[in-house]
Structures are given as structure tokens and as C-alpha cells.
Amino acid sequence: AQSVTQLDSQVPVFEEAPVELRCNYSSSVSVYLFWYVQYPNQGLQLLLKYLSGSTLVKGINGFEAEFNKSQTSFHLRKPSVHISDTAEYFCAVIGGSYIPTFGRGTSLIVHP
Amino acid sequence: NAGVTQTPKFQVLKTGQSMTLQCAQDMNHEYMSWYRQDPGMGLRLIHYSVGAGITDQGEVPNGYNVSRSTTEDFPLRLLSAAPSQTSVYFCASSYTGLAGYEQYFGPGTRLTVT
């Protein structure tokens, strides 16, 4: 079985400040990890993914995430956020099958 | 490529009515799935399919039926709508091999049951 915990349901931040959205996972096998973004009234789209290789993964819109196997984490970071980054962010894990398990989401709110 | 398409975008039903939410993809993906999204609950898997003729239940299958007669289409049927089924429904598709397992989502159907 696999599970995902997104530790913060809401993260408020000011524009141009750095941000970290936290994700921890649990799995008995090797995993693939994903971050998706959902803008208001839209479907989810892929931000970035870790399948293997380098543990630092770069995605779209300046986001990056680091896979930490010992801490079973895959935190998402951006050094300077924009108003347009306001959205819901979902962490997802696939381990042992092709069926992803999603976290409950973190709402990133960027204030001017 | 249109990607994953869903119809309708919005729907209002009365309790007890039935309806079908349509989902289609043009990427030749083997895996397709249906999720519902409710505030504070994230995405919950309703049903999924790994190919034409093969479907299975997810986390919250009660009150929903699916079929997969073609690779492209994966409709979700509500048998007798209940207010608890008021939600936003997303269809998704992906490859099942090492192409990356990335999920491609449709734009969603917002369903209200009164």
C-alpha cells in the first residue's frame, strides 16, 4: 500500500518570497513521485516528476523538487513566487502499480 | 491532439435521475480513470481501466458504473443520483509503461444534485 501526506492545507506567502510545499510518502516498494498544479476551475497538469536518477528535479514555471529517500519526502520549492502561482498543488506517488495515490492538496495563496 | 475531453462541463440533476459523464482521449493511453474532487478531500478514485474491456473499482465506487468498449472512451454512469454525489468529476489517462505514468486530466464536470 502507498500513501501521501501533504503537511499543509494552505500556505500563504507574499509575492517574490520563496515557498516550500511539503510532501511525505509511504510505500514498501520503490516509487515514482509527481507534483501537479490545479488553477481555479481547471483540471490538474503536471509540474514535475521523479522517476529515477538525479534527486533534484526541475519542472515548469521555475518550480523544483528534491527526492529524499531517507526522509521519504518530495518537497516542492520555488525561490520567488508570483501572483499567478496561486493555485492548488497536489503531490502523488506511484509504487508497485500504475495507479497513483494523491495527497489532499495544498492551497498556495500569493499576496501582493 | 485534443488530449482528454469531458462533457458536459456543468450538470444539474434531481435526486434519483441517472446520467452519463463522457470522457475521451486521443493519445492511445491504456490507463483511464475517474476521480471526484471534494473540498478538503483531495482526489478520490472512483473507477479505473487498464484497457478495453477491463475495469476495476477504486476507493469510492458505490453509485457509479463504468465500461470501456474502446481505448478512447471511458464513460461514467450515475445510476440514481444522490445529493452526496454533488462534486467535481475528473477523467484522467496515462500510459502504463515506463513512458512515465504521467496523468493527463480533463477539464472536469461540475455536477450538482438537488
Side-chain angles (χ1 to χ4, degrees), chain B residues 5 13 18 22 24 35 41 44 52 64 75 80-81 89 91 104 109:
Chain B
T5 57
L13 290 178
S18 62
Q22 300 292 345
Y35 292 89
M41 302 296 290
R44 292 184 291 171
Y64 307 95
S80 177
Y89 291 84
C91 179
Y104 291 79
T109 295

Side-chain angles (χ1 to χ4, degrees), chain A residues 2-57:
Chain A
Q2 61 202 28
S3 66
V4 176
T5 302
Q6 291 185 241
L7 297 157
D8 306 295
S9 59
Q10 211 172 72
V11 173
V13 64
F14 286 107
E15 195 173 19
E16 298 184 9
V19 71
E20 178 180 82
L21 306 184
R22 297 180 292 168
C23 172
N24 285 92
Y25 69 91
S26 172
S27 175
S28 57
V29 298
S30 296
V31 296
Y32 302 127
L33 293 156
F34 305 81
W35 276 100
Y36 291 85
V37 60
Q38 184 183 30
Y39 298 107
N41 299 314
Q42 294 185 26
L44 282 70
Q45 57 184 275
L46 184 72
L47 261 184
L48 48 80
K49 62 186 176 185
Y50 171 79
L51 303 181
S52 65
S54 172
T55 56
L56 182 64
V57 181

Side-chain angles (χ1 to χ4, degrees), chain A residues 32 36 38 41 46 90 98, chain B residues 37 50 90 98 101-103:
Chain A
Y32 302 127
Y36 291 85
Q38 184 183 30
N41 299 314
L46 184 72
F90 292 91
Y98 35 76
Chain B
Q37 183 178 27
V50 299
F90 289 100
L98 287 176
Y101 300 98
E102 171 187 350
Q103 302 295 309

Side-chain angles (χ1 to χ4, degrees), chain B residues 54-91:
Chain B
I54 306 169
T55 63
D56 207 345
Q57 297 181 352
E59 180 186 355
V60 289
N62 292 342
Y64 307 95
N65 268 359
V66 292
S67 60
R68 184 103 178 262
S69 56
T70 67
T71 299
E72 295 78 18
D73 299 299
F74 191 45
L76 177 72
R77 279 181 286 279
L78 278 69
L79 309 172
S80 177
S84 60
Q85 293 178 305
T86 293
S87 188
V88 182
Y89 291 84
F90 289 100
C91 179

